[in-house]
Structure formats: structure tokens, C-alpha cells
Amino acid sequence: MKKGRSGRFAAALLLAAALVAVGMSPPLRAFESLPDALYLKSGAQTQLEFTLPGRAEIEGADAAVISSFDQSAGSLGSTVTLTAGAEAGEATLTYRLLGLIPVKTVSVTVETEKTLIPGGQSVGVALLTEGVVVVGSSDIGSTPSPARLAGIRAGDRIVRVNDTDITGAEQLRALISEGGEALVEIARGEETLVVSVEPALDVSTGAYRLGAWVRDSTAGIGTLSFYDPDDGGFGALGHAITDVDTGIVLPVGYGGIYESSVVDVNKGKSGEPGELLGQFFDAETQLGEVERNTDFGIFGTTNEAVENPLYPDGLPVGTRADVHVGPAQILTTLVDGEIRAYDCEIVKLTR
């Protein structure tokens, strides 16, 4: 009996050792590094190296999306070659170990070629928030902050008071200046809350206050990323506009981009990014409206066509597969007002 148990234990140890050896093997590590998603332009071709023996299958695509699909056997695994078709669409590639067990799924998106005008222009950005952003609270004399007591905290957005949409800080002050209980609707991340607040009298001004510091706008300068001649769309900044105190991505109530000029440059240091210092002009120089503020920049629509003298005919948009480490250029405008290209190097990619 003991011998049987010992045999099973030894077999289990051997199996565990085999699994560890397989898990640490270079072929499996290479297999696990394969992408979960591919983005291809029409006509583009790519190869996937599957380092385990098996068979690949393409699902959910016709010849218009994936024009060809070839697989050749290597010493251990297989090389799969995909060629994107003439039409945009999606497909799924499933790789089955020994042709039976699905071990890897790769989503494939084919996009038709699109041409954009590169940016580089300096633009002023002015943004009015949707509602007002709470950046802090304060007591009113010896009275504790009514907003804090009601559970309102920094990072919340006040979007409505007593069924009236909030468009700015002055309007908020006017709505609660007479006192009395107020039903305040706040947005906190993806959650919406309604709280009851009793404003406190500020004896120094004779007005009632919530005891909350709020912000309803922001402004600065940045760089245009691209202009789309097909629909007049634009992208700029390449990062979100966030509130300086709370760090939240500011939702757009209304925003615009404007002609601007760079007046100085603060050079970056180790651990500290540099910045452009500039000024932008009045509403008559508005170039377009900001519609979205995202982690990848601001986006909207221009009032008129945007030109770039370095690339008057634009450039085709690359896919993720086109991005690689090595020499590159960035476009920007400095104090002379001209768009110029500056050499740089891409040293690392993050999928």
C-alpha cells in the first residue's frame, strides 16, 4: 500500500517538474509573448511565430478582410502569414495545440488606409467643464463646511442643484446664495449621487455658502497632433487635460482651440518634463471646438482646413505593427512660429 502511494507521489513530482520545465522553456515563453490583437492596413502582411506544434484557424472573415492565410511548419511550431484584404473588418485567429486544444486567440483588425495632415502647430486650449469640479472644502467662520458634512469631497463634480444644471461657479454661488436646503447632484467617477446640503451664512458677505472650493475652467497651450481633411476633425496634446489639484480628467462642457504663439521654453530635466510657455488670442482666432478630453488627447472639429508646409499632402496613418524602435521625428513650433522637425529616437514600445 505504501509502495503504491510512493509511486503515485513520485509520478506527481515528475509531472510537476515537467510542467515547470515546459513553463520555463524558451519556446513557451516566446509563445506567451505573442500579441492578443493585431491591427493591419489593407494589403499589409504580417507573420506570427507559434513555437508550439499546432494548427491555426481564421474565423469571422472573408477574402475582403483577410485575402490570404498561409501556415508553414517549422522544426517545432508553425509560422502563420496573414495578408489583409481590401476592405476593413475584423477576424479571429485561433491556434490549437496539436490541432485540438485552443491555446491562443488573436483578434485581427483590418483598416483601410487613411491620410492625415500631421500637426506641430502651437494652439491655445480653453476648456469649460461639465458642471464644476470640487477641489477642496473650507469652514465658514466657526461653522463646519456644509459640503464636507454632506459627504461632498475633492474630485466630485457638482452637476445640478435643485433640478438646475450647473454651468459655472458664479451660477452655483447664485443658486445657493439665499440659503435653504439644496439638493445637490454630484458625479463621482461613474457614480451619480444626490445629497442634501444646508448652506451656511457667511456673516462677512451676508451670503450663504456651501463651503466648497470649485473650478469650472482651465486654459493653456499645446501642440496639434493631426488634422483630418475628410471630416475636419483634429487631435491635440496627446494626453488628457486633468485638474491640477484632484488629478481627474476634466469632462468637456465647452472647449476651443485658438491661434497661439510660444514665448519661451522651459527645458526638461531628469525626472521633470519641459514645457512651452505661450499666449493665445481672443475668440476671433478660434480654430475649432473641443468635443472630447481623453487619456490620449483632446479631439474635436476645426472651423477651417489646417495646413502643414512640411507635409502639404499629408501622410498615411500607420498601424501598431508599423511602430518600431529606432530613429524618428517629432514636429512642434517654438518661438520663431515655424513648424520644424526634430530628430528623436524611439527606445521602447508598450503594446
Side-chain angles (χ1 to χ4, degrees), residues 57-61 66 90-94 104-109:
E57 298 175 354
I58 290 287
E59 302 172 356
I66 301 295
E90 296 181 349
T92 300
L93 183 148
T94 302
K104 183 66 178 182
T105 299
V106 180
S107 66
V108 182
T109 301

Side-chain angles (χ1 to χ4, degrees), residues 35 46 49 60 90 97 113 117 136 167-168 199 203 213-214 257 287 330:
T46 191
E49 299 288 342
E90 296 181 349
L97 182 64
E113 187 170 274
I117 305 298
T167 58
V203 295
W213 295 100
V214 298
I257 57 172
L287 302 174
I330 58 174

Side-chain angles (χ1 to χ4, degrees), residues 81-122:
T81 303
L82 295 176
T83 303
E87 294 185 7
E90 296 181 349
T92 300
L93 183 148
T94 302
Y95 193 81
R96 297 179 183 275
L97 182 64
L98 303 177
L100 300 172
I101 305 171
V103 291
K104 183 66 178 182
T105 299
V106 180
S107 66
V108 182
T109 301
V110 175
E111 301 169 341
T112 55
E113 187 170 274
K114 186 174 184 62
T115 297
L116 298 177
I117 305 298
Q121 299 89 338
S122 173

